[in-house]
Amino acid sequence: MANFENVKNPYYVVQFNYDVTNNSNKKLDLSGVSAVDLDSKELGQVIMLQDNGDTYDADAPVRVNPGVTKTVTCQGLLKEDMLGSLNKLSVTFGEVEDKDYNTVTEEADPTSVDIN
């Protein structure tokens, strides 16, 4: 679970959503988000809010059943020196495994999105 003991008040977060679709015929586990950077600076602690409202560390697996699309919300704590203008969000997704822990897809290259 997320650890908020050392979070200063006030605190700031960046939030983004992503959809995961399983087009295979077996249950798959996405190893969550392995890294999030804003303008090449690593975020503080990143947590995930899965579509059922549970809160997890960002690298916790997301189970996706065959033929299902799941929406996941990620939040990351912003460090104080990041509060200026933010221009780019870069996310690295972890590997995908089947129910027997066999790797289906390796960790992805970072995906970058410009922030308006």
Side-chain angles (χ1 to χ4, degrees), residues 18 29-34 48 58-62 92-97:
Y18 63 92
D29 289 335
L30 172 67
S31 296
V33 173
S34 60
M48 268 187 337
D59 58 356
V62 177
T92 304
F93 294 99
E95 68 182 10
V96 177
E97 296 178 336

Side-chain angles (χ1 to χ4, degrees), residues 2-13 44-45 77-78:
N3 176 9
F4 297 106
E5 291 176 9
N6 296 320
V7 175
K8 296 178 182 175
N9 188 8
Y11 64 93
Y12 304 91
V13 298
Q45 182 172 348
L77 294 174
L78 291 174

Side-chain angles (χ1 to χ4, degrees), residues 89-109:
L89 172 73
S90 179
V91 180
T92 304
F93 294 99
E95 68 182 10
V96 177
E97 296 178 336
D98 64 18
K99 67 178 180 71
D100 298 319
Y101 306 105
N102 297 310
T103 299
V104 175
T105 303
E106 296 291 332
E107 179 177 278
D109 290 332

Side-chain angles (χ1 to χ4, degrees), residues 24-79:
S24 75
N25 60 359
K26 53 188 169 185
K27 292 180 183 178
L28 296 175
D29 289 335
L30 172 67
S31 296
V33 173
S34 60
V36 178
D37 297 325
L38 284 171
D39 294 334
S40 300
K41 296 178 184 174
E42 189 174 348
L43 284 177
Q45 182 172 348
V46 178
I47 60 170
M48 268 187 337
L49 307 171
Q50 292 192 16
D51 57 0
N52 59 3
D54 292 335
T55 302
Y56 300 92
D57 288 326
D59 58 356
V62 177
R63 165 102 5 119
V64 185
N65 291 321
V68 170
T69 296
K70 184 175 272 197
T71 299
V72 180
T73 299
C74 254
Q75 293 180 340
L77 294 174
L78 291 174
K79 296 175 182 174

